[in-house]
Amino acid sequence: LSLFLKYKIDNNQLSADNRVFLDQLTFGDEVDSPGATRLPVRLAVSLLQNRRGEIDINLPISGSLDDPQFSVGGIIVQVILNVFTKAITSPFALIGSLFGGGEELSYVEFDYGYSTISAKMKERLQTVAKVLDDRPAIRIEIAGRIDSERDREGLKRALMERRVKAQRLEELVKAGTEAGSLDEVEIPAKDYQKYLERAYKAEKFPKPRNMIGFVKELPVEEMEKLMMANMKADDEALRDLADRRAKSAGEWLSREGKVAAERIF
């Protein structure tokens, strides 16, 4: 245990830094004590301890020496307990203060209706991967979430776009071109209307027809609107979207972040 202390008193106002460095902190057998904290100390230690077995943390305190209730030792104990409490209630805020990112590290944002991870969110996941690499005792659980209203509308657009991409993918496969997955397919802006028309005509819902019975040609916006109106975006589809989001984040951490799969749930 090493302590690096910096205390300043000005007009009986104390401002102090207490940097604590613990190396290879281990626990002995549990001792029954009525004064012992009920907080999960081992969880806090696993969050604070890096892969070298070190804990390096600053515990700042301040207060008035004129206050008869003021106690440096009492405040330090309370600050330590606050750290443990933070480990329970806001673990990402605790590790975020060490790595940057704060509570935002606890979630990944997606565009409504989509499960694709943006470049900005990949940076956030990279920080999470760094945390997990430096804290080998930590395992992470990922749960997918949705906004029942906004994601429902977004999902209709996402499904419509996938149908359009499927037309492009089919063409690439027939031409013997390496195309990758459907999500990886890109459509040049100048060709979008062509593939949209193919996707629109392939759909089975009733379409406006001209006087001789052929499917009527429509502007891009109207074809998109009709396709989206007929896309299935029920509760089951939303649950599937939530699952795909969780899977996308977990797979990114495992594949790109190099986090062992057994540490991700």
Side-chain angles (χ1 to χ4, degrees), residues 4 9 15 38 41 45 51 65 91 98 114 116 127 135-136 147 158 165 168 181 199 208 213 221 237 240:
F4 304 87
I9 298 174
S15 175
R38 298 303 179 203
V41 177
V45 169
R51 63 167 48 255
L65 301 184
L98 304 174
Y114 294 81
T116 305
T127 303
R135 301 291 192 271
D147 180 314
K165 285 186 175 184
R168 168 69 172 166
S181 68
E221 293 79 7
D240 178 67

Side-chain angles (χ1 to χ4, degrees), residues 193-205:
Q193 183 172 352
K194 176 180 69 174
Y195 295 112
L196 174 62
E197 288 176 349
R198 292 181 186 177
Y200 172 75
K201 291 178 180 179
E203 293 297 304
K204 303 302 182 182
F205 59 82

